[in-house]
Amino acid sequence: MSTGVRGIWRTWADSVPPLARESVRPPCPDPAATATRLAQARLGDEFMVYEAEAGVWYFAAGSTVSLTADATTVTARSGGRAWTSRTDRKPLTAFAAALSTLREAADGTRHFYGWAAFELAHLLHADPSTAGDRPLLHAMIPSVEVSLNGDRTVVRAVDEACVRKVADLLAEPSPQRSAHDEPAPGSTEDVLATGTAAFGRAVSRTVDDIRAGLLEKAVVSRKVPLPAEPRPDFPATYLAGRRANTPARSYLLDLGGYRAAGFSPETVLEVAPEGRVSTQPLAGTRALGSDPAENERLRAELLSDPKEIHEHAVSVRLAWDEMTAVCRPGSVAAEEFMAVRARGSVQHLASRVTGRLRQDAGPWDAFASLFPAITATGVSKRAALQALARHEEGPRGLYGGAVFRGSTAGALDAALVLRTLLGAGDETWLRAGAGITGQSSPERETEETREKLRSVAPYLRFAED
């Protein structure tokens, strides 16, 4: 990092206000509803709700301090000022440098919240010229942060006035659940049929590529645009969907130009400050409904289906290779292999691969190796990205990318963006994909996308003008 660039990051980091005020309060009985209510209060131009593991929710807001990177530049903002630097097509390196400088300048650990668009993958693994000119990474350092768990609620903010405002919101009684919160199954099946013919053709072309030896697997997706009216209510959709889903992570955000309410089935990676890193590939899918006997039958079918087992095995193999590239020799292990995990309207084959980072590698090195999740791209990753560029229409944007929470102490928790209501500008949409192998059929893969879309579509809620 040049002296000039280091100076930019130092000036930016020195301008970041500390979270100097803290208030500890009793636990909230319904953290999902409380976090959603904080999001609806619009305490800042940008916000994120992030549900981590073990039932802990985080709410963060405030856009005065942020980092945004595209393929060639990164812009840091704080206090109404902006600093821009070239990235040499290495935005993750620029992000890591800026956050490292913030760690040196800050009094205590600071957290950041952000997202990575799927097209970042083209810079990391394929053809940089196809990454486009849209933002690929965005993160904010919040001016207010609230953690909600079973033991206590902690509010941290830049000033006392912000702490009091959050305390007043927390003191309000939680609204009672109503019929509006309950799912409305079956009301969106017509929407789920959008784009199925084009998707079937993309599946067939991808199967041809696989049989020609160009790749082993690709995760092909289809976009389902939603009508302009009525407008989806993202917070209400998030709360209704979270009541019905069993995600690995969930998130609600209005951040860096995207809006999202999602129920991620897996993490791209989890990095602890001491260097433990893990990834959780899920591949292989069957429906999950209300009939226990039928669910068990489908579970047994999933565990014995050659196509699903092959799809899962190649994903775990590549995840292992990507972990090995950044971990200490001999530390990579499969702690779980081919378990079945319930994720809303579907059940998946799931594995977990863990390791310990090399001394010369940090969380963003691991992110660069593992992003995007192999279960959202294919095998090999480069060949799959090339196939997706041929067969999918337009950029994915946030879909298949990541939503993350991290700290300047070295932690990074990144959720794979699937099972998500997405929005940008005046447009809102859903998207779902299926893992294509040489044994795939357009009919079965199309049905798999419907199964996945049912994790979100029945729980869409709309703004009441």
Side-chain angles (χ1 to χ4, degrees), residues 151-435:
D151 299 325
R152 60 180 184 166
T153 300
V154 180
V155 182
R156 301 181 68 215
V158 295
D159 56 44
E160 192 63 37
C162 193
V163 171
R164 287 197 301 270
K165 188 171 185 178
V166 173
D168 290 342
L169 290 167
L170 293 173
E172 294 178 2
S174 296
Q176 296 296 312
R177 293 179 63 180
S178 67
H180 185 67
D181 298 319
E182 300 303 324
S187 62
T188 52
E189 287 301 308
D190 290 342
V191 173
L192 303 191
T194 304
T196 54
F199 177 76
R201 291 191 293 271
V203 170
S204 295
R205 291 194 295 268
T206 304
V207 170
D208 291 342
D209 287 349
I210 293 170
R211 291 176 178 172
L214 300 181
L215 69 161
E216 286 188 65
K217 170 189 171 182
V219 181
V220 180
S221 66
R222 65 183 178 99
K223 185 177 181 178
V224 180
L226 298 176
E229 294 293 340
R231 295 176 292 108
D233 183 325
F234 280 76
T237 296
Y238 172 74
L239 190 56
R242 183 59 188 86
R243 303 289 195 205
N245 273 280
T246 50
R249 301 289 188 271
S250 72
Y251 42 82
L252 170 66
L253 63 88
D254 188 339
L255 185 66
Y258 280 109
R259 304 184 302 281
F263 319 102
S264 175
E266 64 184 275
T267 55
V268 179
L269 83 166
E270 303 156 50
V271 184
E274 68 273 13
R276 185 182 187 274
V277 59
S278 70
T279 188
Q280 185 188 35
L282 271 67
T285 307
R286 284 295 183 274
L288 184 67
S290 58
D291 184 343
E294 177 64 4
N295 289 339
E296 184 58 33
R297 184 190 72 79
L298 290 171
R299 180 181 185 277
E301 182 181 283
L302 177 61
L303 286 166
S304 61
D305 187 306
K307 182 264 178 186
E308 306 289 3
I309 293 172
H310 174 257
E311 179 187 348
H312 187 80
V314 296
S315 298
V316 173
R317 186 193 69 205
L318 186 57
W320 183 289
D321 292 342
E322 291 173 342
M323 289 279 285
T324 300
V326 293
C327 288
R328 299 176 186 178
S331 70
V332 177
E335 291 190 354
E336 180 181 65
F337 184 68
M338 277 185 56
V340 177
R341 290 282 176 264
R343 293 290 185 255
S345 60
V346 292
Q347 48 191 327
H348 290 293
L349 294 178
S351 295
R352 180 172 291 278
V353 183
T354 65
R356 295 195 67 82
L357 289 176
R358 300 192 315 264
Q359 288 188 337
D360 63 341
W364 292 106
D365 297 300
F367 189 88
S369 184
L370 290 160
F371 181 88
I374 189 60
T375 49
T377 49
V379 182
S380 69
K381 193 171 277 188
R382 178 183 176 86
L385 288 166
Q386 292 170 337
L388 296 178
R390 291 192 298 271
H391 303 318
E392 288 189 346
E393 296 182 3
R396 287 185 174 185
L398 206 54
Y399 175 83
V403 169
F404 54 77
R405 177 183 187 266
S407 77
T408 54
L412 184 60
D413 192 284
L416 174 58
V417 179
L418 303 176
R419 320 292 196 269
T420 297
L421 169 65
L422 293 159
D426 295 329
E427 185 183 9
T428 56
W429 66 96
L430 304 174
R431 192 161 190 146

Side-chain angles (χ1 to χ4, degrees), residues 67 104 177 300 394 409:
L67 293 167
E104 297 166 2
R177 293 179 63 180

